Each structure stands twice: as structure tokens, then as C-alpha cells.
Amino acid sequence: MSNIEKAVSLTNYFVGLPRTSYILFLNLVLSLILGLGIYLITSDPIPETLLTAIFILTIPTLLTILLGKMFMPRVPSRRIATTAFFGACIYLITYLLALYLQVFSTSAGEGAIFVGSALVFIVWYMIARIVFVHKWRSLIFAMIQLLLHALFLITNGLLPVGGDPFSVLAKFYISSFVLLIGIYLFFQLINAPMKRTFGVASTDAVSMFFSQWFYEKKDIEKAFRKVGETVTTYLSLFLFRREDGDYAMVVPAVHFGPFGNLGGSNFSHLISEDLEKNHNLKSFVFHGTATHDLNPVSSNELRKVTDACSEIVSSAKPRDSRVSLSLSETSQATAESLNFKDHSFIGFTRAPKTTEDIALGTGMALMERAEKSVENATIVDQHNAETGEIEYVEPGTKMSFDYLDSLDDALSRKPPWKKLKAGFAFGASDSGKIGPAGIKVAVFSTDPEYVIILPDANGVTPTFRRRIMTAIESLYRSKGWGKPHPAVYTTDTHSVNAVRGVVNPLEENETLLDQITALVSNAHEDMKEAKFSAEKRKISIRVLGAKQAIEIISTINSIIAVSKVAAPIIIISGIIAILWIIFRLG
């Protein structure tokens, strides 16, 4: 498994939480289990043991949830309730263990209670600190929930926590602070590698990640700016001027990531929005040759792309043009070259095999090869076959040579030239797997007609891609429009990657299929003569960068390796220290 696949697989642990009411019900179930456990150990009447369990477990847990919502109002109730549930599970286990151990030793039973309470204290502190992103409230709230459980436990008198209430409370907090010191040392250990390399503590980086994931805040972009580098890349813009207005196809060799609203994740929508606002033109934004190395460090980098687009549009002088379509027939990869008078728009795919990002170096090699046959070439990643594998088309790989072969095959052909006509259609979508740019369709008067379908999505499954293409072919046959060549592209927007799994391709969906078919019909009927101009230029933009990406992965690997050894040692040492202190205090 590659480093990228390992990173993506981590998000599979992010699961959707059930409703708060369901979690509260599970807390009642825990009380039932605790009550039955107390009955089996003490032989007390079941009604009495159930009431005891509700008193020492359910009530303080419910109060913890209520106070948690008051202390951390922006955190959804289900997250607070889930954390409280896991804390209650630890309390349940340690309470039953303490009851059992006191048969042999009162001190052993007492030690189990203080160790358990310390573990719950740490659970609350770490989750509230790192996941809920509350730096100081996390410590205060962890102390409050500990106080609640301790008071109810002391008041009940079931478990072996002897002494006056104040000395018992002191033992609860001493135990928790001993483990807190261990966690502090652990944080210092795992923070050191990333702080030394990037100037950001690992725990702060994780907190900033969750801050974006849960609250759409952009604090983590500050860290990106520190580690980023300025690179030179390509931007192409194809302008179509019709009597009813202007349309554009934009291909920035910038990656639309990393996720959510960070960096360039929403550039596919924002570039179009800017062009429509400032130039009154509608546009398609495609996935250029870029991997995650070319993720912009900040959404503010958008201005560098839109300024270049504005300059190209402002200076454009569209002229009459002809158009043709060159298609390859190789088995390993497909190249589709939409040719205009002086510029070719060349899309690549390996569908139905995985079709992932094309590295900038590979894109440049393809561009140089293409420009031996055409005047100017723009390379576009169709990004249209998500199979679950992540394989970038890097220079020197077999895939890169397959793409070169398909390019040579396509450009060796002599397709018929036609007068340029173009039709366009645009549709919004409420699908969670389609970004704000929606679905866009363009049809060109080539032979066969080239039909571009561009959902603002992070890929599409091979089966759904094939269904879309089949539906369009059927549409053309039923309408008597001749033979089309459908091409499904996606923007690879990472703005939709704010849910479990990160990779969220379009899958079988009848509603989307019907919408796409209707848009294709509208675009075909919209076809009109158009004038054309295009420009490709270099732009400078600050991105994460290949070197930094490698360093981040290496640093994370070293942190994980250290954690696997250090975490168990620190926790076990902390538990031993707690037991020693409690026994010494008597």
C-alpha cells in the first residue's frame, strides 16, 4: 500500500454517529449491565442494584452531557454524548472490577477506581482538546466531569473509597493529574519531529485538521503557508464567443485539494464564479495535470489563477475556426484530442482501469510530444474511473508510456474538419457528491460530435461512467442526431471530501443520470456557430510542493513509529505510579 493510500485509509475510521437519543438509550443499557454485574458480585436485590447503577453511572453521565453542551456549545450533542458513553464504559468496567477485587483486597479495589477515573479524565481531555478543539476548556471540563462522577460515587458508598470526602476527591484528582503528566510528556515526544521540521506541533496540526473538518475553519492554512513553496505551472483558457455571449474552458495545472474548503479544494467553482462575475461568461473548469503536490497552500492563491484568466479573456480576439476530433484506439489508455485552428484540448483516461491524477512532469512530457504534431496542446486529466486504487501517472511509469502511446495514436489520425459550433448546458445538483459548480455539458460539431459531461465531483465509478455514455448514445439514436462520442470528465474537486472515506466518486444514481441526459439534450439543441481563441501561459503559485509532501509523510511515519512504543509505556507507567501513590496515601 502506498503512503497516499495509507493516508486515505485513515479516514475510514471517521464514522457517522447515531442520533443523540440512541446514544442516551445506550447509556441506560450500560446501567442495566452495571446493575446486573453488581447483583452477580454482591447478591443484592436486582431492583436495588439497578437503582445504584443509575445513581452512580447514568445520572452523572447525563449531567456530564448537559454541562458539556453548555461549555462547548458549537460541538454537536451527539459527539459529546458519544464521548460520555465511552467514558461510562470505562467507569462500568472499573466499578465492577473494583467490586470484585475488594473481596481480596480493599486497596486493590480502590486502586482500580482511581485508575479508571484517571483514564476517563484523559479521554475527555484529549478529545475535547484535539477533536473538539477547546484548548483550555478541555482541561476544565475534564475536571468537572470527574467531580460529578466522584461525588455520586462517594455519596452512594457502594465502592471501596474510604476516608473523608475531601481526601477521596484529592485522590481522584491526584490520580488524574499523574496520568495527565504522562500525556503531557507523550505530547512533547510526538510534537518534537513535526515542530522541528515544520514549526507546527503535531497535536496543533491535528486540532486544526478537525477544526476544518467539523467547523470549516481555515486555521490549518497557516501551517500550509509555512511549509509551502512557490512553483511555476500552466494555465490554459479556451474562449468561445457566440452571439448570445461568451463561454470558456479553463484548465489550470493546479490540484483542487486537499479537502473541504482548504487550499484549492473549491477552485473549480470559484474560478467559474469569478469569470461570470467579472466577465459575464460561463465556464468549465477541468482537472489539469497535477497531483496533491500542487495543492495551493491557501484559498487566497485563487487570485493568481483568476487574474491570469481575466488577462487572457480581456486580450482575447476570437476568430472563426474549424474543429475536429482525434481519437486513439489503444487498449491501455485513451487520448481524445479536440482540435481547433491552433490549439488542441487533449483528454486522457484509462477507464475502466483506475484513472487518477497525472503528475505535472508527465503532463509536460505529453504536451511536448503533442506539440510535435499540433501548434499548442493542453493536457487534461479526465479523472473518470475511481476503482478504490490510488495510482498517480508519474514520469517513468508504465502508465505514462501508455498515455504517450495513446497520444501518438490519436494524433496520427486525420479526422474531418467541421465548422465550429458549440452548445452548452448547466445544471445545479443537491447531491452530496457534487460540488457547487454542479454539472456542465458541452457539445461540439465534430464528426462524431464530442459530448463533454463535467460534474463537479471527485471521480466517478467505471460502471456509472459507462451508463452515462450508453444513455447519451441511446439519446442520440432516439433523436436521430447521428453518432456522438461521449466523454465523462470530473473536476476532482475535494470540496466534497468532508465525509468518511475521502474518496467520494459518483456512483449509480438514476436521478443524476436523468439530469445528465436532459442537459446533453439541452446542449445539443443549444448548438450555435462560435468564434474561438485560446491561450496557454505560465503562472506562479504557492503550493504544498513535492518535497514538503514527502517530508510530511516521513515525519508522520516517524511519529507513528514512536507512538507505538511510547504510548503503552507511558500509560502503563502512569497506572503504576497512580497505584503506588494511592497505596502510599492509604
Side-chain angles (χ1 to χ4, degrees):
M1 183 182 288
S2 68
N3 284 323
I4 294 295
E5 287 175 314
K6 288 178 181 177
V8 169
S9 66
L10 290 176
T11 63
N12 291 326
Y13 294 100
F14 298 157
V15 297
L17 298 176
R19 295 191 302 272
T20 305
S21 57
Y22 182 71
I23 302 170
L24 294 177
F25 172 75
L26 290 179
N27 275 295
L28 289 175
V29 172
L30 289 182
S31 294
L32 176 62
I33 295 171
L34 178 58
L36 293 175
I38 295 173
Y39 162 73
L40 292 174
I41 295 172
T42 65
S43 298
D44 291 340
I46 289 182
E48 182 179 324
T49 60
L50 288 176
L51 288 174
T52 298
I54 291 172
F55 185 78
I56 66 175
L57 189 63
T58 303
I59 294 176
T61 298
L62 293 176
L63 290 174
T64 297
I65 294 170
L66 291 173
L67 288 173
K69 189 60 182 175
M70 291 173 58
F71 263 74
M72 300 172 284
R74 70 177 180 179
V75 181
S77 298
R78 66 180 64 187
R79 292 178 191 155
I80 296 174
T82 301
T83 308
F85 171 75
F86 284 113
C89 288
I90 297 174
Y91 279 124
L92 182 152
I93 294 169
T94 53
Y95 287 174
L96 292 179
L97 181 63
L99 274 176
Y100 178 75
L101 290 176
Q102 73 174 337
V103 175
F104 306 98
S105 168
T106 301
S107 297
E110 188 179 49
I113 291 174
F114 292 124
V115 169
S117 64
L119 289 173
V120 177
F121 176 91
I122 292 302
V123 166
W124 269 109
Y125 169 70
M126 292 184 67
I127 291 179
R129 166 71 176 83
I130 297 175
V131 181
F132 297 164
V133 200
H134 284 288
K135 192 168 187 177
W136 296 112
R137 291 185 191 184
S138 59
L139 181 59
I140 296 171
F141 185 71
M143 294 173 65
I144 290 174
Q145 70 81 30
L146 176 61
L147 177 63
L148 284 173
H149 282 274
L151 288 177
F152 276 85
L153 190 63
I154 294 169
T155 303
N156 177 263
L158 171 71
L159 299 176
V161 281
D164 66 88
F166 290 105
S167 65
V168 173
L169 280 176
K171 291 179 182 179
F172 273 105
Y173 282 105
I174 289 171
S175 302
S176 298
F177 288 145
V178 167
L179 208 53
L180 182 64
I181 292 171
I183 293 300
Y184 174 78
L185 294 175
F186 177 70
F187 281 174
Q188 291 295 105
L189 191 63
I190 64 173
N191 283 339
M194 190 164 283
K195 198 162 189 175
R196 182 173 58 252
T197 306
F198 303 112
V200 180
S202 304
T203 50
D204 289 339
V206 174
S207 290
M208 288 187 286
F209 166 81
F210 281 112
S211 178
Q212 194 289 323
W213 200 278
F214 292 145
Y215 313 119
E216 296 188 350
K217 293 193 173 183
K218 296 186 178 183
D219 297 343
I220 199 169
E221 286 189 351
K222 298 175 184 176
F224 289 165
R225 293 190 196 103
K226 289 182 180 180
V227 303
E229 62 177 310
T230 301
V231 301
T232 299
T233 188
Y234 287 97
L235 168 72
S236 292
L237 189 145
F238 296 73
L239 183 65
F240 304 93
R241 179 158 294 167
R242 306 191 318 181
E243 290 182 354
D244 61 344
D246 289 353
Y247 299 83
M249 299 197 307
V250 184
V251 188
V254 173
H255 194 262
F256 302 144
F259 57 85
N261 62 354
L262 295 179
S265 298
N266 208 18
F267 275 20
S268 53
H269 165 64
L270 296 176
I271 293 170
S272 293
E273 186 179 57
D274 185 271
L275 286 171
E276 185 163 11
K277 177 182 176 181
N278 294 316
H279 298 279
N280 196 31
L281 66 80
K282 293 184 179 295
S283 60
F284 295 64
V285 180
F286 292 86
H287 185 19
T289 55
T291 64
H292 280 269
D293 297 343
L294 293 181
N295 279 329
V297 297
S298 166
S299 52
N300 294 332
E301 297 296 307
L302 172 73
R303 183 50 52 196
K304 297 175 182 177
V305 178
T306 55
D307 284 350
C309 289
S310 292
E311 291 172 6
I312 294 173
V313 172
S314 298
S315 62
K317 296 179 180 179
R319 300 177 181 178
D320 291 336
S321 180
R322 297 172 71 80
V323 64
S324 69
L325 180 63
S326 305
L327 303 172
S328 65
E329 295 182 354
T330 60
S331 60
Q332 299 301 311
T334 299
E336 301 170 349
S337 182
L338 183 63
N339 310 304
F340 302 95
K341 180 177 59 177
D342 56 359
H343 210 125
S344 292
F345 173 98
I346 310 174
F348 287 87
T349 180
R350 297 175 67 242
K353 291 176 287 188
T354 184
T355 301
E356 271 289 344
D357 300 346
I358 302 173
L360 180 61
T362 304
M364 293 174 67
L366 291 166
M367 182 182 68
E368 291 294 326
R369 178 72 68 88
E371 290 180 351
K372 292 180 179 180
S373 303
V374 299
E375 187 173 341
N376 289 289
T378 292
I379 308 301
V380 188
D381 178 14
Q382 293 191 7
H383 207 276
N384 61 359
E386 177 56 59
T387 66
E389 299 176 355
I390 299 178
E391 295 184 78
Y392 294 162
V393 187
E394 299 283 357
T397 60
K398 181 181 181 301
M399 289 185 291
S400 67
F401 283 97
D402 289 340
Y403 275 12
L404 285 168
D405 291 342
S406 67
L407 176 65
D408 290 339
D409 184 63
L411 296 184
S412 67
R413 302 180 182 280
K414 304 297 180 183
W417 288 87
K418 300 285 186 177
K419 186 173 182 62
L420 174 60
K421 292 183 179 180
F424 306 97
F426 305 83
S429 174
D430 58 4
S431 169
K433 294 189 175 184
I434 293 183
I439 304 170
K440 303 179 180 182
V441 173
V443 180
F444 294 94
S445 57
T446 54
D447 184 14
E449 286 187 357
Y450 194 49
V451 183
I452 293 177
I453 304 97
L454 179 68
D456 190 28
N458 184 217
V460 57
T461 61
T463 52
F464 192 45
R465 167 187 173 270
R466 184 66 257 174
R467 284 201 65 196
I468 293 171
M469 296 170 68
T470 301
I472 294 168
E473 291 165 352
S474 298
L475 172 69
Y476 266 67
R477 281 195 303 270
S478 67
K479 297 286 188 178
W481 290 340
K483 184 179 180 182
H485 183 84
V488 180
Y489 291 70
T490 72
T491 62
D492 188 30
T493 178
H494 283 47
S495 66
V496 298
N497 291 359
V499 294
R500 178 178 181 266
V502 169
V503 180
N504 301 292
L506 293 183
E507 299 173 310
E508 297 288 331
N509 187 306
E510 295 300 324
T511 301
L512 285 178
L513 186 62
D514 292 342
Q515 183 181 11
I516 290 169
T517 305
L519 288 171
V520 170
S521 181
N522 293 342
H524 183 274
E525 293 172 356
D526 179 68
M527 289 181 72
K528 297 179 178 67
E529 291 187 3
K531 294 184 177 182
F532 169 80
S533 70
E535 182 178 338
K536 179 176 63 181
R537 63 168 58 183
K538 296 174 183 176
I539 60 171
S540 293
I541 189 168
R542 193 162 180 80
V543 299
L544 184 60
K547 180 181 177 182
Q548 284 77 3
I550 293 171
E551 286 183 344
I552 288 173
I553 291 172
S554 298
T555 304
I556 290 173
N557 285 339
S558 66
I559 290 170
I560 292 173
V562 169
S563 299
K564 287 179 179 179
V565 177
I569 292 175
I570 289 174
I571 292 174
I572 293 171
S573 299
I575 291 173
I576 293 172
I578 290 171
L579 295 175
W580 182 81
I581 291 172
I582 295 302
F583 291 154
R584 292 286 293 179
L585 291 175

